[in-house]
Amino acid sequence: MAKVLCVNDFKLYSEMVSLMLQRKGGHVVRTEIVPFALREIEEFEPDVIVLNMVRKMEALRSPLADFYAEVDGARAFRALAQREDLHRYPIILTAIAVEEREVPKVLPYLAFIEVPGKIDQMLDIIDRIVASRGSDLAPE
């Protein structure tokens, strides 16, 4: 069982992913929205941070022109990118209608997972993170 911190700009998106992690994976999950309180995160001691991104409805029909304006979760993405003290935790990006090539290359992350379709892949990665506690885990 892992301790997973789900973050987003809107608690609802984090809670959706949180339910999947709890029900399918049996993980302990906490949800946070920006701004993040480092003290609370450190007290929770997550094994992994899951950042949830969802393309806004008005941006569905065209390529992203501005990631930060057209993706819910972009504020949390920016906050994580700027908080190098949080980069010690493995970060998994989850996405609905966002492609990995559209994500700015400013945040080190372990995996990019399309949800809900590939939730089993995310659960597998989290299990490997828990199994590797205390050693480095290389991305696939």
Side-chain angles (χ1 to χ4, degrees):
M1 175 173 38
K3 291 170 77 175
V4 181
L5 178 66
C6 284
V7 297
N8 194 285
D9 302 347
F10 301 99
K11 198 163 181 116
L12 176 63
Y13 294 130
S14 289
E15 287 175 346
M16 288 187 317
V17 173
S18 173
L19 283 173
M20 288 186 268
L21 290 167
Q22 289 170 340
R23 289 184 180 161
K24 284 197 87 170
H27 300 298
V28 175
V29 184
R30 180 177 179 161
T31 59
E32 291 285 337
I33 58 173
V34 287
F36 308 122
L38 180 60
R39 191 179 114 260
E40 291 177 13
I41 292 171
E42 287 177 335
E43 286 175 1
F44 180 62
E45 297 179 1
D47 293 301
V48 63
I49 296 175
V50 175
L51 170 65
N52 312 293
M53 301 178 298
V54 179
R55 181 179 239 130
K56 293 181 181 180
M57 293 297 286
E58 60 270 17
L60 280 176
R61 299 185 194 271
S62 60
L64 283 179
D66 182 354
F67 175 85
Y68 294 102
E70 298 174 6
V71 173
D72 287 329
R75 287 183 328 129
F77 179 91
R78 179 179 284 152
L80 273 180
Q82 292 172 347
R83 296 286 304 270
E84 290 186 19
D85 51 343
L86 296 178
H87 296 180
R88 68 180 177 267
Y89 301 107
I91 298 170
I92 295 175
L93 303 181
T94 65
I96 298 175
V98 176
E99 296 180 24
E100 188 170 15
R101 64 178 172 74
E102 297 173 311
V103 178
K105 306 295 183 231
V106 297
L107 176 65
Y109 59 90
L110 184 64
F112 180 92
I113 308 290
E114 297 171 8
V115 291
K118 295 186 178 179
I119 187 75
D120 289 336
Q121 181 183 1
M122 181 170 54
L123 292 170
D124 208 36
I125 292 167
I126 291 170
D127 289 344
R128 287 189 301 123
I129 289 169
V130 171
S132 71
R133 283 183 181 136
S135 61
D136 289 334
L137 180 68
E140 282 187 353

